[in-house]
Amino acid sequence: MTHSTTRGRLARLGLIGLAAGLALTGCSTVGSTAGGDSTGAADDGTFTVGFATGGQPDADWQQLQGDVAQGLAEQRGWDFVELSNDNSEATATKNADIFIQKGVDVVMMFNGQPSANPVIAKKYEAAGIPVVTFDIAQPGWYFVGVDNAAAGTEGGTSLGELAKEKWDCKVDLVISAEGTAAGQINTWRTGNARDAVKETCPDIPEGDYVSYEADGNLTTSLANAPGVFAAHPDAKNILVVGLNDQAVVGALQAATQLGRDGSIMGWGQDGGLITGDNVDPNLVGSVMYFLEGYPASAFEIADEIEAGNAPAVKDTGDDAAVSVQPCPVTAEEAASIPAIEDRVSQLAEAPKGSTEYDLFCKA
């Protein structure tokens, strides 16, 4: 990536101020590529951040994480290597080899296919490279992310309360759009949401709870959801919970295509599709994590590592290096929250230590 490309990318996000010292510090962007290919200069001894975006389709926040991280690296005069995990176990593993070859000093990453993480962790441990993982914990890695268990419970409780208010808890079907590859994260987010609906509306029969594989991806969710609706042709009042906004919206879009959207409500997780101009009308709420802002927290850890004072590893949501406070919002409340790129711009201009929860979550 050239400096002109870098500056255009940052200017588009209102982050140009973060890179203002670029010419004075001599910072360079070592590489920014997708699919595991890498380019760039050899290690010159400058502290280097390796950053792996998730590479999942229809997830703007993942690329924006890279944009924010690049701006923060340039602010510090650090080198920066960005790769995409392409939502692929094989690519994420290959990227680890590239980061090790590049001699990075710390890796930050989101990997939506965490079954590869134990293998990747061994590689980084052998190379002596610390890792900051976003939202999906891995023993031995710093964890920056939301309290997934609390987020699932808050989302399911909010959806159940809406069902009680609108339908007197007369629900015909509760759909769980699962993402089993996420393991415990799926259990906390989707499972806790489902359990919270049960607690709020305890008279819904157990047989009216059904699950299908959405893989945390809108396209997969949209393709697999019609089978659920076909198996329950008489269900009218329908609730949807899931791993993330994409999983839930896939089910909602399938209902619309099938003409089954007359009485359906979904509550998402992560807030990725609850703001902006094209929110699905049946996505009645989500638990926002402000995912695009995670690098700001990760760089607090990197600052200590670079200074030679690496903090003790806290690697789970219960004992996180930085725990992100979940922000449940209705669609109406979310309409007053700036769109994702505007949030990034405002975060860049906010006082150091500010979080997007502080800036944008409801009181």
Side-chain angles (χ1 to χ4, degrees), residues 56 58-59 61 110 135 146-159 177 179 185-197 216-217 240-249 252 266-274 283-291 294 324-329:
Q56 293 176 324
D58 304 312
W61 60 267
F110 174 78
D135 262 339
V146 76
D147 183 336
N148 289 286
T153 297
E154 290 190 31
T157 299
S158 297
L159 185 60
I185 304 303
N186 179 65
T187 300
W188 279 328
R189 294 187 189 178
T190 311
N192 281 22
R194 181 171 53 244
D195 290 345
V197 170
N217 179 274
V240 184
V241 298
L243 176 69
N244 55 12
D245 279 14
Q246 288 199 47
V248 172
V249 170
L252 300 177
W267 195 287
Q269 289 284 335
D270 78 19
L273 298 178
I274 196 66
L283 184 65
V284 295
S286 182
V287 182
M288 298 194 71
Y289 307 166
F290 303 111
L291 296 160
Y294 280 15
V324 177
Q325 190 167 355
C327 177
V329 291

Short mmCIF file of all heavy atoms in Angstrom, two decimals, residues 56 58-59 61 110 135 146-159 177 179 185-197 216-217 240-249 252 266-274 283-291 294 324-329:
data_model
loop_
_atom_site.label_atom_id
_atom_site.label_comp_id
_atom_site.label_asym_id
_atom_site.label_seq_id
_atom_site.Cartn_x
_atom_site.Cartn_y
_atom_site.Cartn_z
N GLN A 56 -15.03 -11.62 6.41
CA GLN A 56 -16.38 -12.12 6.16
C GLN A 56 -17.13 -11.15 5.25
O GLN A 56 -17.01 -9.93 5.39
CB GLN A 56 -17.14 -12.28 7.48
CG GLN A 56 -16.57 -13.37 8.38
CD GLN A 56 -17.27 -13.44 9.72
OE1 GLN A 56 -17.66 -12.43 10.29
NE2 GLN A 56 -17.42 -14.65 10.24
N ASP A 58 -20.10 -8.85 3.65
CA ASP A 58 -21.19 -8.05 4.20
C ASP A 58 -20.93 -7.61 5.64
O ASP A 58 -21.87 -7.43 6.42
CB ASP A 58 -22.53 -8.81 4.14
CG ASP A 58 -22.88 -9.27 2.74
OD1 ASP A 58 -22.79 -8.43 1.82
OD2 ASP A 58 -23.23 -10.45 2.56
N ALA A 59 -19.66 -7.46 6.01
CA ALA A 59 -19.32 -7.04 7.37
C ALA A 59 -18.37 -5.85 7.28
O ALA A 59 -17.15 -6.00 7.41
CB ALA A 59 -18.69 -8.19 8.15
N TRP A 61 -17.67 -3.56 9.27
CA TRP A 61 -16.90 -3.26 10.48
C TRP A 61 -15.54 -3.94 10.46
O TRP A 61 -14.59 -3.46 11.07
CB TRP A 61 -17.68 -3.66 11.74
CG TRP A 61 -18.05 -5.11 11.83
CD1 TRP A 61 -19.21 -5.70 11.42
CD2 TRP A 61 -17.25 -6.17 12.39
NE1 TRP A 61 -19.18 -7.05 11.68
CE2 TRP A 61 -17.99 -7.36 12.28
CE3 TRP A 61 -15.99 -6.21 12.97
CZ2 TRP A 61 -17.52 -8.60 12.73
CZ3 TRP A 61 -15.51 -7.44 13.43
CH2 TRP A 61 -16.27 -8.62 13.30
N PHE A 110 -9.31 -10.75 14.18
CA PHE A 110 -10.61 -11.39 14.33
C PHE A 110 -10.62 -12.58 13.40
O PHE A 110 -10.31 -12.46 12.21
CB PHE A 110 -11.77 -10.44 13.97
CG PHE A 110 -13.10 -11.14 13.99
CD1 PHE A 110 -13.73 -11.42 15.18
CD2 PHE A 110 -13.70 -11.58 12.81
CE1 PHE A 110 -14.94 -12.09 15.22
CE2 PHE A 110 -14.91 -12.25 12.84
CZ PHE A 110 -15.53 -12.51 14.04
N ASP A 135 -13.20 -10.74 20.45
CA ASP A 135 -14.50 -11.37 20.69
C ASP A 135 -14.51 -12.89 20.79
O ASP A 135 -15.47 -13.45 21.31
CB ASP A 135 -15.53 -10.94 19.63
CG ASP A 135 -16.41 -9.81 20.13
OD1 ASP A 135 -16.51 -9.62 21.35
OD2 ASP A 135 -16.99 -9.10 19.30
N VAL A 146 -16.64 -8.07 23.80
CA VAL A 146 -17.85 -7.89 24.59
C VAL A 146 -18.00 -9.04 25.56
O VAL A 146 -17.43 -10.13 25.36
CB VAL A 146 -19.06 -7.78 23.64
CG1 VAL A 146 -19.45 -9.16 23.10
CG2 VAL A 146 -20.25 -7.11 24.31
N ASP A 147 -18.76 -8.83 26.61
CA ASP A 147 -19.18 -9.91 27.50
C ASP A 147 -20.27 -10.67 26.74
O ASP A 147 -21.45 -10.30 26.77
CB ASP A 147 -19.70 -9.34 28.81
CG ASP A 147 -20.08 -10.42 29.82
OD1 ASP A 147 -20.39 -11.55 29.40
OD2 ASP A 147 -20.10 -10.12 31.03
N ASN A 148 -19.87 -11.73 26.03
CA ASN A 148 -20.80 -12.43 25.14
C ASN A 148 -22.00 -13.02 25.88
O ASN A 148 -23.12 -13.01 25.37
CB ASN A 148 -20.06 -13.53 24.39
CG ASN A 148 -19.11 -12.99 23.34
OD1 ASN A 148 -19.52 -12.51 22.30
ND2 ASN A 148 -17.81 -13.05 23.63
N ALA A 149 -21.75 -13.55 27.06
CA ALA A 149 -22.85 -14.14 27.83
C ALA A 149 -23.89 -13.08 28.20
O ALA A 149 -25.10 -13.29 28.05
CB ALA A 149 -22.31 -14.83 29.07
N ALA A 150 -23.41 -11.94 28.69
CA ALA A 150 -24.32 -10.87 29.06
C ALA A 150 -25.05 -10.32 27.83
O ALA A 150 -26.24 -10.00 27.88
CB ALA A 150 -23.56 -9.75 29.76
N ALA A 151 -24.32 -10.22 26.71
CA ALA A 151 -24.94 -9.70 25.49
C ALA A 151 -26.06 -10.60 25.01
O ALA A 151 -27.13 -10.12 24.61
CB ALA A 151 -23.88 -9.56 24.40
N GLY A 152 -25.84 -11.91 25.06
CA GLY A 152 -26.90 -12.83 24.65
C GLY A 152 -28.13 -12.71 25.54
O GLY A 152 -29.26 -12.65 25.05
N THR A 153 -27.90 -12.64 26.83
CA THR A 153 -29.03 -12.54 27.76
C THR A 153 -29.78 -11.22 27.57
O THR A 153 -31.03 -11.21 27.58
CB THR A 153 -28.51 -12.64 29.21
OG1 THR A 153 -27.92 -13.94 29.40
CG2 THR A 153 -29.64 -12.47 30.21
N GLU A 154 -29.05 -10.13 27.40
CA GLU A 154 -29.72 -8.83 27.24
C GLU A 154 -30.54 -8.80 25.96
O GLU A 154 -31.66 -8.27 25.94
CB GLU A 154 -28.68 -7.71 27.25
CG GLU A 154 -28.04 -7.50 28.61
CD GLU A 154 -27.20 -6.23 28.67
OE1 GLU A 154 -27.54 -5.26 27.97
OE2 GLU A 154 -26.23 -6.20 29.43
N GLY A 155 -30.01 -9.36 24.87
CA GLY A 155 -30.76 -9.37 23.62
C GLY A 155 -32.02 -10.21 23.71
O GLY A 155 -33.10 -9.78 23.29
N GLY A 156 -31.90 -11.42 24.27
CA GLY A 156 -33.07 -12.28 24.39
C GLY A 156 -34.13 -11.73 25.32
O GLY A 156 -35.33 -11.85 25.06
N THR A 157 -33.67 -11.09 26.40
CA THR A 157 -34.63 -10.47 27.33
C THR A 157 -35.38 -9.35 26.65
O THR A 157 -36.61 -9.24 26.79
CB THR A 157 -33.89 -9.94 28.57
OG1 THR A 157 -33.24 -11.03 29.24
CG2 THR A 157 -34.85 -9.26 29.52
N SER A 158 -34.68 -8.53 25.89
CA SER A 158 -35.33 -7.41 25.20
C SER A 158 -36.35 -7.91 24.18
O SER A 158 -37.45 -7.36 24.07
CB SER A 158 -34.27 -6.56 24.49
OG SER A 158 -33.37 -5.98 25.41
N LEU A 159 -35.98 -8.96 23.44
CA LEU A 159 -36.92 -9.51 22.46
C LEU A 159 -38.12 -10.14 23.14
O LEU A 159 -39.27 -9.97 22.69
CB LEU A 159 -36.20 -10.53 21.58
CG LEU A 159 -37.01 -11.11 20.41
CD1 LEU A 159 -37.45 -10.01 19.46
CD2 LEU A 159 -36.19 -12.17 19.67
N ALA A 177 -30.74 -18.72 14.86
CA ALA A 177 -29.83 -18.75 13.71
C ALA A 177 -28.41 -18.96 14.25
O ALA A 177 -27.72 -18.01 14.60
CB ALA A 177 -29.94 -17.45 12.92
N GLY A 179 -24.41 -20.23 14.86
CA GLY A 179 -23.10 -20.19 14.22
C GLY A 179 -22.19 -21.14 14.96
O GLY A 179 -21.36 -20.73 15.78
N ILE A 185 -18.82 -19.08 21.96
CA ILE A 185 -19.38 -17.76 21.66
C ILE A 185 -20.82 -17.90 21.18
O ILE A 185 -21.70 -17.14 21.59
CB ILE A 185 -18.55 -17.03 20.59
CG1 ILE A 185 -17.08 -16.93 21.03
CG2 ILE A 185 -19.10 -15.64 20.33
CD1 ILE A 185 -16.85 -16.26 22.33
N ASN A 186 -21.07 -18.88 20.32
CA ASN A 186 -22.43 -19.11 19.85
C ASN A 186 -23.35 -19.54 20.99
O ASN A 186 -24.50 -19.10 21.09
CB ASN A 186 -22.42 -20.18 18.76
CG ASN A 186 -23.81 -20.49 18.23
OD1 ASN A 186 -24.47 -19.65 17.63
ND2 ASN A 186 -24.27 -21.71 18.47
N THR A 187 -22.82 -20.37 21.88
CA THR A 187 -23.62 -20.80 23.03
C THR A 187 -24.01 -19.62 23.89
O THR A 187 -25.16 -19.51 24.34
CB THR A 187 -22.83 -21.83 23.87
OG1 THR A 187 -22.50 -22.96 23.06
CG2 THR A 187 -23.64 -22.29 25.08
N TRP A 188 -23.04 -18.72 24.13
CA TRP A 188 -23.34 -17.56 24.96
C TRP A 188 -24.33 -16.60 24.26
O TRP A 188 -25.31 -16.18 24.86
CB TRP A 188 -22.06 -16.80 25.27
CG TRP A 188 -21.27 -17.38 26.39
CD1 TRP A 188 -21.74 -18.03 27.50
CD2 TRP A 188 -19.84 -17.34 26.55
NE1 TRP A 188 -20.71 -18.40 28.33
CE2 TRP A 188 -19.54 -17.98 27.77
CE3 TRP A 188 -18.81 -16.81 25.78
CZ2 TRP A 188 -18.23 -18.11 28.23
CZ3 TRP A 188 -17.50 -16.93 26.24
CH2 TRP A 188 -17.22 -17.58 27.45
N ARG A 189 -24.04 -16.28 23.03
CA ARG A 189 -24.88 -15.29 22.35
C ARG A 189 -26.25 -15.87 21.99
O ARG A 189 -27.29 -15.34 22.39
CB ARG A 189 -24.19 -14.78 21.09
CG ARG A 189 -22.92 -14.00 21.32
CD ARG A 189 -22.43 -13.42 20.01
NE ARG A 189 -21.10 -12.82 20.13
CZ ARG A 189 -20.43 -12.29 19.13
NH1 ARG A 189 -20.96 -12.27 17.92
NH2 ARG A 189 -19.23 -11.78 19.31
N THR A 190 -26.25 -16.93 21.20
CA THR A 190 -27.52 -17.49 20.71
C THR A 190 -28.24 -18.25 21.81
O THR A 190 -29.44 -18.08 22.01
CB THR A 190 -27.26 -18.40 19.51
OG1 THR A 190 -26.43 -17.73 18.55
CG2 THR A 190 -28.56 -18.79 18.83
N GLY A 191 -27.49 -19.11 22.50
CA GLY A 191 -28.12 -19.92 23.54
C GLY A 191 -28.66 -19.08 24.68
O GLY A 191 -29.79 -19.31 25.16
N ASN A 192 -27.90 -18.10 25.14
CA ASN A 192 -28.39 -17.25 26.23
C ASN A 192 -29.57 -16.41 25.80
O ASN A 192 -30.49 -16.15 26.60
CB ASN A 192 -27.27 -16.35 26.74
CG ASN A 192 -26.32 -17.07 27.66
OD1 ASN A 192 -26.23 -18.29 27.62
ND2 ASN A 192 -25.58 -16.33 28.47
N ALA A 193 -29.57 -15.97 24.53
CA ALA A 193 -30.73 -15.21 24.02
C ALA A 193 -31.98 -16.09 24.03
O ALA A 193 -33.06 -15.66 24.45
CB ALA A 193 -30.45 -14.69 22.62
N ARG A 194 -31.82 -17.31 23.57
CA ARG A 194 -32.95 -18.25 23.56
C ARG A 194 -33.45 -18.51 24.99
O ARG A 194 -34.66 -18.51 25.25
CB ARG A 194 -32.50 -19.55 22.90
CG ARG A 194 -33.57 -20.63 22.79
CD ARG A 194 -33.09 -21.80 21.93
NE ARG A 194 -31.81 -22.33 22.38
CZ ARG A 194 -30.69 -22.30 21.65
NH1 ARG A 194 -30.69 -21.78 20.44
NH2 ARG A 194 -29.58 -22.83 22.13
N ASP A 195 -32.51 -18.74 25.91
CA ASP A 195 -32.90 -18.99 27.30
C ASP A 195 -33.61 -17.78 27.91
O ASP A 195 -34.54 -17.94 28.72
CB ASP A 195 -31.67 -19.34 28.13
CG ASP A 195 -31.09 -20.71 27.77
OD1 ASP A 195 -31.79 -21.49 27.09
OD2 ASP A 195 -29.93 -20.97 28.16
N ALA A 196 -33.15 -16.58 27.54
CA ALA A 196 -33.78 -15.37 28.08
C ALA A 196 -35.21 -15.21 27.56
O ALA A 196 -36.10 -14.73 28.29
CB ALA A 196 -32.95 -14.15 27.73
N VAL A 197 -35.44 -15.57 26.30
CA VAL A 197 -36.81 -15.56 25.77
C VAL A 197 -37.67 -16.53 26.58
O VAL A 197 -38.81 -16.21 26.97
CB VAL A 197 -36.83 -15.93 24.27
CG1 VAL A 197 -38.27 -16.16 23.80
CG2 VAL A 197 -36.19 -14.84 23.43
N GLY A 216 -23.12 -17.37 10.92
CA GLY A 216 -22.78 -15.97 11.11
C GLY A 216 -22.70 -15.17 9.83
O GLY A 216 -22.09 -14.11 9.80
N ASN A 217 -23.36 -15.65 8.79
CA ASN A 217 -23.22 -15.07 7.47
C ASN A 217 -24.59 -14.87 6.85
O ASN A 217 -25.42 -15.79 6.83
CB ASN A 217 -22.38 -16.01 6.60
CG ASN A 217 -22.18 -15.51 5.20
OD1 ASN A 217 -23.03 -15.76 4.34
ND2 ASN A 217 -21.10 -14.82 4.95
N VAL A 240 -36.81 -14.31 16.23
CA VAL A 240 -35.51 -14.79 15.73
C VAL A 240 -34.39 -14.23 16.59
O VAL A 240 -34.32 -13.01 16.81
CB VAL A 240 -35.28 -14.38 14.26
CG1 VAL A 240 -33.96 -14.99 13.75
CG2 VAL A 240 -36.43 -14.81 13.36
N VAL A 241 -33.52 -15.12 17.07
CA VAL A 241 -32.28 -14.72 17.72
C VAL A 241 -31.14 -15.38 16.95
O VAL A 241 -31.36 -16.26 16.12
CB VAL A 241 -32.24 -15.16 19.21
CG1 VAL A 241 -33.36 -14.49 19.99
CG2 VAL A 241 -32.34 -16.68 19.33
N GLY A 242 -29.90 -14.95 17.22
CA GLY A 242 -28.81 -15.56 16.48
C GLY A 242 -27.45 -15.05 16.91
O GLY A 242 -27.32 -14.19 17.79
N LEU A 243 -26.43 -15.58 16.25
CA LEU A 243 -25.04 -15.27 16.58
C LEU A 243 -24.71 -13.81 16.37
O LEU A 243 -23.96 -13.21 17.15
CB LEU A 243 -24.11 -16.14 15.73
CG LEU A 243 -22.61 -15.88 15.89
CD1 LEU A 243 -22.14 -16.33 17.27
CD2 LEU A 243 -21.82 -16.60 14.80
N ASN A 244 -25.25 -13.21 15.30
CA ASN A 244 -24.94 -11.82 14.97
C ASN A 244 -26.08 -11.25 14.14
O ASN A 244 -27.07 -11.94 13.84
CB ASN A 244 -23.60 -11.72 14.25
CG ASN A 244 -23.51 -12.58 13.00
OD1 ASN A 244 -24.52 -13.11 12.51
ND2 ASN A 244 -22.31 -12.75 12.47
N ASP A 245 -25.94 -9.99 13.77
CA ASP A 245 -26.99 -9.36 12.96
C ASP A 245 -27.17 -10.05 11.63
O ASP A 245 -28.29 -10.22 11.14
CB ASP A 245 -26.64 -7.88 12.72
CG ASP A 245 -27.00 -6.98 13.90
OD1 ASP A 245 -27.27 -7.51 15.00
OD2 ASP A 245 -27.00 -5.75 13.72
N GLN A 246 -26.08 -10.47 11.00
CA GLN A 246 -26.19 -11.10 9.69
C GLN A 246 -27.02 -12.39 9.76
O GLN A 246 -27.85 -12.64 8.89
CB GLN A 246 -24.79 -11.41 9.14
CG GLN A 246 -24.02 -10.19 8.69
CD GLN A 246 -22.89 -10.55 7.76
OE1 GLN A 246 -23.07 -11.30 6.82
NE2 GLN A 246 -21.73 -9.99 8.01
N ALA A 247 -26.77 -13.20 10.77
CA ALA A 247 -27.52 -14.44 10.92
C ALA A 247 -29.02 -14.17 11.08
O ALA A 247 -29.86 -14.82 10.45
CB ALA A 247 -26.99 -15.24 12.11
N VAL A 248 -29.34 -13.21 11.92
CA VAL A 248 -30.75 -12.89 12.18
C VAL A 248 -31.41 -12.29 10.95
O VAL A 248 -32.52 -12.68 10.57
CB VAL A 248 -30.86 -11.95 13.40
CG1 VAL A 248 -32.29 -11.45 13.58
CG2 VAL A 248 -30.38 -12.66 14.66
N VAL A 249 -30.74 -11.34 10.30
CA VAL A 249 -31.33 -10.68 9.14
C VAL A 249 -31.51 -11.67 7.99
O VAL A 249 -32.47 -11.56 7.21
CB VAL A 249 -30.47 -9.48 8.70
CG1 VAL A 249 -30.93 -8.93 7.36
CG2 VAL A 249 -30.57 -8.38 9.76
N LEU A 252 -34.81 -13.11 8.58
CA LEU A 252 -35.86 -12.11 8.32
C LEU A 252 -36.07 -11.91 6.83
O LEU A 252 -37.21 -11.79 6.35
CB LEU A 252 -35.50 -10.79 9.00
CG LEU A 252 -35.32 -10.83 10.53
CD1 LEU A 252 -34.90 -9.46 11.04
CD2 LEU A 252 -36.60 -11.30 11.21
N GLY A 266 -36.94 -9.91 14.92
CA GLY A 266 -35.62 -10.43 15.21
C GLY A 266 -34.82 -9.44 16.04
O GLY A 266 -34.96 -8.23 15.88
N TRP A 267 -33.97 -9.98 16.92
CA TRP A 267 -33.06 -9.14 17.70
C TRP A 267 -31.66 -9.66 17.47
O TRP A 267 -31.35 -10.82 17.75
CB TRP A 267 -33.40 -9.20 19.19
CG TRP A 267 -32.75 -8.10 19.98
CD1 TRP A 267 -31.43 -8.00 20.31
CD2 TRP A 267 -33.37 -6.92 20.49
NE1 TRP A 267 -31.19 -6.84 21.00
CE2 TRP A 267 -32.36 -6.15 21.13
CE3 TRP A 267 -34.68 -6.44 20.47
CZ2 TRP A 267 -32.63 -4.93 21.75
CZ3 TRP A 267 -34.93 -5.23 21.09
CH2 TRP A 267 -33.93 -4.48 21.72
N GLY A 268 -30.79 -8.80 16.94
CA GLY A 268 -29.45 -9.22 16.55
C GLY A 268 -28.43 -9.11 17.65
O GLY A 268 -28.71 -8.74 18.79
N GLN A 269 -27.20 -9.47 17.28
CA GLN A 269 -26.03 -9.35 18.13
C GLN A 269 -24.92 -8.73 17.30
O GLN A 269 -24.68 -9.17 16.18
CB GLN A 269 -25.58 -10.72 18.64
CG GLN A 269 -26.50 -11.36 19.66
CD GLN A 269 -26.35 -10.74 21.04
OE1 GLN A 269 -25.32 -10.19 21.37
NE2 GLN A 269 -27.40 -10.83 21.83
N ASP A 270 -24.28 -7.75 17.80
CA ASP A 270 -23.10 -7.05 17.31
C ASP A 270 -23.42 -5.68 16.72
O ASP A 270 -22.56 -4.82 16.60
CB ASP A 270 -22.24 -7.87 16.34
CG ASP A 270 -22.73 -8.01 14.89
OD1 ASP A 270 -23.56 -7.20 14.42
OD2 ASP A 270 -22.22 -8.92 14.21
N GLY A 271 -24.68 -5.42 16.33
CA GLY A 271 -25.07 -4.10 15.85
C GLY A 271 -24.61 -3.78 14.45
O GLY A 271 -24.75 -2.64 14.00
N GLY A 272 -24.10 -4.77 13.71
CA GLY A 272 -23.55 -4.51 12.41
C GLY A 272 -24.54 -4.07 11.36
O GLY A 272 -24.18 -3.40 10.39
N LEU A 273 -25.84 -4.41 11.55
CA LEU A 273 -26.85 -4.09 10.54
C LEU A 273 -28.03 -3.30 11.12
O LEU A 273 -29.08 -3.22 10.48
CB LEU A 273 -27.37 -5.38 9.87
CG LEU A 273 -26.34 -6.22 9.11
CD1 LEU A 273 -26.97 -7.49 8.56
CD2 LEU A 273 -25.69 -5.41 7.99
N ILE A 274 -27.83 -2.68 12.28
CA ILE A 274 -28.94 -1.99 12.92
C ILE A 274 -28.89 -0.49 12.72
O ILE A 274 -29.83 0.24 13.06
CB ILE A 274 -28.99 -2.32 14.44
CG1 ILE A 274 -30.35 -1.94 15.07
CG2 ILE A 274 -27.84 -1.65 15.18
CD1 ILE A 274 -31.51 -2.74 14.57
N LEU A 283 -35.99 -6.23 11.91
CA LEU A 283 -34.91 -6.27 12.89
C LEU A 283 -35.26 -5.20 13.94
O LEU A 283 -34.96 -4.02 13.76
CB LEU A 283 -33.56 -5.99 12.24
CG LEU A 283 -32.34 -6.09 13.17
CD1 LEU A 283 -32.14 -7.51 13.67
CD2 LEU A 283 -31.07 -5.59 12.46
N VAL A 284 -35.89 -5.61 14.99
CA VAL A 284 -36.45 -4.66 15.95
C VAL A 284 -35.42 -4.15 16.95
O VAL A 284 -35.67 -3.21 17.70
CB VAL A 284 -37.65 -5.28 16.71
CG1 VAL A 284 -38.80 -5.55 15.74
CG2 VAL A 284 -37.24 -6.54 17.45
N GLY A 285 -34.24 -4.77 16.96
CA GLY A 285 -33.21 -4.33 17.87
C GLY A 285 -31.95 -5.16 17.71
O GLY A 285 -31.92 -6.15 16.97
N SER A 286 -30.91 -4.74 18.39
CA SER A 286 -29.65 -5.49 18.39
C SER A 286 -28.86 -5.09 19.63
O SER A 286 -29.16 -4.07 20.27
CB SER A 286 -28.83 -5.19 17.13
OG SER A 286 -27.63 -5.95 17.10
N VAL A 287 -27.88 -5.90 19.97
CA VAL A 287 -26.93 -5.54 21.02
C VAL A 287 -25.68 -5.04 20.32
O VAL A 287 -24.97 -5.80 19.68
CB VAL A 287 -26.60 -6.74 21.93
CG1 VAL A 287 -25.64 -6.31 23.04
CG2 VAL A 287 -27.87 -7.33 22.52
N MET A 288 -25.44 -3.75 20.43
CA MET A 288 -24.30 -3.16 19.73
C MET A 288 -23.01 -3.38 20.51
O MET A 288 -22.98 -3.22 21.73
CB MET A 288 -24.54 -1.66 19.50
CG MET A 288 -25.74 -1.36 18.63
SD MET A 288 -25.78 0.36 18.05
CE MET A 288 -24.42 0.33 16.85
N TYR A 289 -21.96 -3.77 19.79
CA TYR A 289 -20.64 -3.93 20.39
C TYR A 289 -19.69 -2.81 19.94
O TYR A 289 -18.61 -2.68 20.49
CB TYR A 289 -20.00 -5.25 19.96
CG TYR A 289 -20.79 -6.51 20.17
CD1 TYR A 289 -20.39 -7.69 19.55
CD2 TYR A 289 -21.92 -6.55 20.98
CE1 TYR A 289 -21.08 -8.87 19.72
CE2 TYR A 289 -22.62 -7.73 21.15
CZ TYR A 289 -22.21 -8.89 20.52
OH TYR A 289 -22.89 -10.06 20.68
N PHE A 290 -20.09 -2.06 18.92
CA PHE A 290 -19.20 -1.05 18.32
C PHE A 290 -17.88 -1.71 17.92
O PHE A 290 -16.79 -1.29 18.31
CB PHE A 290 -18.99 0.13 19.27
CG PHE A 290 -20.28 0.78 19.70
CD1 PHE A 290 -20.73 0.68 21.00
CD2 PHE A 290 -21.05 1.48 18.78
CE1 PHE A 290 -21.92 1.28 21.39
CE2 PHE A 290 -22.24 2.09 19.16
CZ PHE A 290 -22.69 1.98 20.47
N LEU A 291 -18.01 -2.73 17.12
CA LEU A 291 -16.88 -3.59 16.75
C LEU A 291 -15.74 -2.84 16.08
O LEU A 291 -14.56 -3.16 16.28
CB LEU A 291 -17.38 -4.69 15.79
CG LEU A 291 -18.39 -5.67 16.39
CD1 LEU A 291 -19.17 -6.37 15.28
CD2 LEU A 291 -17.69 -6.69 17.26
N TYR A 294 -12.77 -1.63 18.29
CA TYR A 294 -11.95 -2.52 19.10
C TYR A 294 -10.45 -2.22 19.04
O TYR A 294 -9.74 -2.37 20.05
CB TYR A 294 -12.18 -3.97 18.68
CG TYR A 294 -13.41 -4.63 19.23
CD1 TYR A 294 -14.45 -3.88 19.80
CD2 TYR A 294 -13.57 -6.00 19.19
CE1 TYR A 294 -15.59 -4.49 20.29
CE2 TYR A 294 -14.70 -6.63 19.68
CZ TYR A 294 -15.71 -5.88 20.23
OH TYR A 294 -16.83 -6.50 20.73
N VAL A 324 -15.68 -5.05 26.64
CA VAL A 324 -16.54 -4.08 25.98
C VAL A 324 -17.96 -4.21 26.53
O VAL A 324 -18.51 -5.31 26.57
CB VAL A 324 -16.54 -4.29 24.45
CG1 VAL A 324 -17.49 -3.32 23.76
CG2 VAL A 324 -15.12 -4.14 23.90
N GLN A 325 -18.52 -3.11 26.93
CA GLN A 325 -19.86 -3.15 27.52
C GLN A 325 -20.91 -3.26 26.43
O GLN A 325 -20.95 -2.45 25.51
CB GLN A 325 -20.11 -1.88 28.34
CG GLN A 325 -21.37 -1.94 29.18
CD GLN A 325 -21.43 -0.83 30.22
OE1 GLN A 325 -20.47 -0.06 30.36
NE2 GLN A 325 -22.52 -0.74 30.94
N PRO A 326 -21.76 -4.30 26.47
CA PRO A 326 -22.80 -4.43 25.45
C PRO A 326 -23.85 -3.34 25.57
O PRO A 326 -24.17 -2.88 26.66
CB PRO A 326 -23.41 -5.82 25.74
CG PRO A 326 -23.10 -6.09 27.17
CD PRO A 326 -21.80 -5.39 27.46
N CYS A 327 -24.38 -2.93 24.42
CA CYS A 327 -25.33 -1.82 24.37
C CYS A 327 -26.59 -2.27 23.62
O CYS A 327 -26.66 -2.15 22.39
CB CYS A 327 -24.68 -0.64 23.66
SG CYS A 327 -25.78 0.80 23.45
N PRO A 328 -27.58 -2.81 24.32
CA PRO A 328 -28.82 -3.21 23.63
C PRO A 328 -29.63 -1.99 23.23
O PRO A 328 -29.87 -1.10 24.04
CB PRO A 328 -29.55 -4.06 24.68
CG PRO A 328 -29.02 -3.58 26.00
CD PRO A 328 -27.61 -3.11 25.76
N VAL A 329 -30.04 -1.94 21.97
CA VAL A 329 -30.83 -0.81 21.47
C VAL A 329 -31.96 -1.33 20.60
O VAL A 329 -31.80 -2.30 19.87
CB VAL A 329 -29.96 0.18 20.64
CG1 VAL A 329 -28.97 0.90 21.52
CG2 VAL A 329 -29.25 -0.53 19.49
#
